[in-house]
Amino acid sequence: MAASKKQHATNQACVIPGGFTVLSLKFCSSSVAQHKLYVKEHKVRDEKSSYRPLDRTLFVLNVPPYCSEEVIKRLFSQFGNVNSVELRDQPGSTQHHGPKLSSVFKPPEKLGFRVGYIVFENPSSVKVAKSHPPSEPLVVSTEEHPVKTGIQTRPTKQIVNSFMEDYDKRKEEEAEQQRKEEEQQQEDEDGWVKVTRGHKGAKARPHSETANQRTLAKEMKKKKKKELMNFYTWQHRNTQKEHIAELRKKFEEDKQRIALLRAQRKFKPY
C-alpha cells in the first residue's frame, strides 16, 4: 500500500514557490544527468500584445543553450499544437526599441541559459504542460531528431586531398599545353618559325636563337638611343646656364656705363 502511494506521488506535478512547475529534461535517452525546466502560465497585465496571449502562453525558465526554438517546439508539441516559440536572454516585452536592423547587422546570439515563451493553439495545452510529472523527462536528442552540440569540425583531410588532386591535374594540363606550343613553334628546315596563339592570357613568342638575337639587338638599340637623348638634354641644360651667365655679366657692364654717364653730366668745369 505504501509503495502505491509513493508511485502515485511521483506521477504528480512538482510545484515550487512562485507558482513554477518543475519539468525534467534529458539530452538523450541514455543520459543519466537531468536538467530542470521551470514553467509557469504567462500572466503579465502590463503587456498587451497579441503575440503572447495570456491564456495560451507558457513562460519557461532555465532553457539550456543546446535547446533551440525548433527543439522547444518539438518537445512541447506533445502537450498540444504550438503556434510559436520565442527564446530571449532575459524576460521582457516583445516590442523592440530603436530602428529595425537587417539580418546582416544582427548581433551574435549569446550561448547561455535563456527564457522562453511558448504560445499554444488551445488554452488547455498550458494546463497539460504544467501537470506533466518530473519523473517523465523530456528527451532532446532522439534518433529521428538528433541534436548536435559542441564544435562542428569539417572533413579537413578530404578537402585538402581534393584540392591537391585538382591542383596536380591543372598543372599537368598546363604542362601538356606548353609542350604542344613548343612543338608547334619549332623551326623548320628553312629557318621559319610557326607562331601560334596560345591559351587565353598567354603570349605566344618564338623560342629560336635567331629570334632571341633579334630581340636582344632591338633592346640594345633602344638603350643607346635613350643614352644619346639624355646626353643632348645635359648639353642643352649647360648651354642655357652659360647664356644666363653672359646676360648677367652684360647687365652689370651696362649698369656701370650708365652710372659713368650720369657722373659726367653732373661735372661742370666752368
Side-chain angles (χ1 to χ4, degrees), residues 26-261:
K26 293 175 63 175
F27 182 77
C28 59
S29 58
S30 60
S31 298
V32 179
Q34 295 185 3
H35 184 77
K36 301 300 180 181
L37 296 179
Y38 305 99
V39 300
K40 180 181 180 181
E41 186 176 357
H42 180 61
K43 293 182 179 180
V44 180
R45 297 179 181 179
D46 296 337
E47 183 178 352
K48 297 180 181 180
S49 175
S50 59
Y51 298 100
R52 299 175 185 172
L54 299 181
D55 57 339
R56 295 186 290 114
T57 304
L58 187 68
F59 179 59
V60 187
L61 286 178
N62 203 28
V63 180
Y66 52 80
C67 286
S68 60
E69 294 182 354
E70 291 78 9
V71 173
I72 295 297
K73 184 176 182 179
R74 176 172 54 83
L75 292 177
F76 283 84
S77 295
Q78 59 181 315
F79 307 126
N81 295 330
V82 178
N83 289 344
S84 63
V85 175
E86 180 186 1
L87 296 180
R88 297 173 60 89
D89 296 332
Q90 57 185 359
S93 175
T94 56
Q95 298 178 356
H96 298 278
H97 300 283
K100 186 178 181 181
L101 299 178
S102 174
S103 57
V104 179
F105 302 99
K106 185 178 181 181
E109 296 182 358
K110 298 180 180 179
L111 299 178
F113 292 90
R114 295 177 289 179
V115 299
Y117 296 91
I118 305 173
V119 180
F120 290 96
E121 185 177 346
N122 299 320
S124 59
S125 301
V126 177
K127 298 180 181 180
V128 176
K130 292 173 58 178
S131 61
H132 187 74
S135 59
E136 299 178 5
L138 307 177
V139 182
V140 176
S141 180
T142 60
E143 295 181 358
E144 296 80 8
H145 304 281
V147 177
K148 297 181 180 180
T149 59
I151 300 176
Q152 305 297 328
T153 58
R154 301 178 62 185
T156 309
K157 187 176 181 179
Q158 297 179 2
I159 295 176
V160 172
N161 293 337
S162 177
F163 176 79
M164 294 305 300
E165 290 177 359
D166 296 340
Y167 179 79
D168 295 339
K169 184 178 179 180
R170 186 169 63 255
K171 282 296 183 182
E172 292 178 359
E173 292 177 354
E174 292 178 357
E176 182 68 19
Q177 183 70 20
Q178 185 177 2
R179 185 182 63 81
K180 290 181 180 180
E181 293 177 0
E182 291 178 355
E183 291 178 357
Q184 293 177 358
Q185 295 172 0
Q186 292 295 332
E187 292 185 358
D188 55 7
E189 296 179 357
D190 298 333
W192 292 92
V193 178
K194 183 180 180 181
V195 181
T196 59
R197 184 176 182 181
H199 59 277
K200 187 177 181 181
K203 295 182 179 180
R205 295 183 58 187
H207 297 280
S208 63
E209 185 66 23
T210 306
N212 292 337
Q213 292 179 359
R214 193 185 306 113
T215 305
L216 183 60
K218 190 176 181 180
E219 294 293 334
M220 293 296 295
K221 186 177 180 180
K222 287 183 179 180
K223 186 176 180 181
K224 291 181 179 179
K225 186 177 180 181
K226 187 176 181 181
E227 292 177 355
L228 186 62
M229 290 178 62
N230 293 337
F231 173 77
Y232 287 147
T233 304
W234 174 80
Q235 187 179 14
H236 181 66
R237 188 182 300 112
N238 289 342
T239 304
Q240 287 181 346
K241 289 182 179 180
E242 293 174 358
H243 182 63
I244 292 173
E246 291 178 359
L247 291 176
R248 289 178 178 174
K249 181 179 180 181
K250 188 176 180 181
F251 177 72
E252 294 294 335
E253 293 175 354
D254 292 342
K255 284 176 62 177
Q256 293 178 4
R257 190 180 298 111
I258 292 172
L260 181 61
L261 291 175

